[in-house]
Amino acid sequence: MTETLVVGGALCRDGRLLAARRSAPPELAGRWELPGGKREPGETPEQALVRELREELGVEAEPVERIPGEWPLKPGYVLQVWTARLLSGEPRPLEDHDELRWLGPDESDTVDWLDQDRPAVAEAVRRLRAEGGG
């Protein structure tokens, strides 16, 4: 059985990481994640990420590099995360989210991340610190 790939974007701007609060499904509502979604047939993971960030946030973004590792979600689904750079637009919670927050490296633990996002968030924050010296 082929696993369905879910792509997440560690979207960074000005030394901050974008966190998105889920509004659906009910069992995830109120918890925070890196925005993204399922890869469609025929898409590369990077293409899927660009499309998902456009659909969910209304922005154009560019995948930068994949964060090592992958994390199981529900059965048959696996998460991979890329760091991404915002090219244009101001992120808005258009689909599946009701709030967005830009978090600095020292604020990353102020929201209740989904468990499977935590390792990628920790790595994204480590990279932010390395870039910004914060």
Side-chain angles (χ1 to χ4, degrees):
M1 178 181 126
T2 314
E3 288 185 308
T4 298
L5 177 62
V6 176
V7 293
L11 195 58
C12 301
R13 180 178 77 185
D14 301 330
R16 299 173 112 81
L17 175 68
L18 187 71
R21 189 171 70 186
R22 297 284 314 201
S23 55
E27 65 270 17
L28 301 180
R31 297 190 69 190
W32 295 76
E33 68 172 2
L34 298 169
K38 293 192 256 326
R39 179 176 65 174
E40 302 289 343
E43 280 183 325
T44 67
E46 292 86 350
Q47 289 168 334
L49 183 61
V50 169
R51 177 185 51 77
E52 285 288 346
L53 294 176
R54 188 182 299 136
E55 290 174 3
E56 289 194 353
L57 305 174
V59 298
E60 291 301 317
E62 171 185 46
V64 178
E65 77 184 301
R66 189 173 150 205
I67 290 179
E70 56 180 42
W71 299 274
L73 304 173
K74 58 191 178 192
Y77 290 80
V78 64
L79 173 68
Q80 295 178 356
V81 176
W82 274 256
T83 57
R85 182 182 305 119
L86 192 59
L87 297 178
S88 66
E90 184 58 38
R92 301 184 311 282
L94 302 177
E95 273 184 17
D96 300 330
H97 302 107
D98 60 5
E99 189 182 336
L100 302 175
R101 273 188 212 163
W102 289 102
L103 301 173
D106 298 330
E107 302 166 305
S108 63
D109 56 359
T110 61
V111 300
D112 182 18
W113 292 100
L114 293 173
D115 296 340
Q116 64 268 16
D117 283 44
R118 289 177 189 269
V121 167
E123 175 60 22
V125 166
R126 190 190 68 71
R127 292 178 184 204
L128 279 178
R129 281 202 169 100
E131 286 169 19

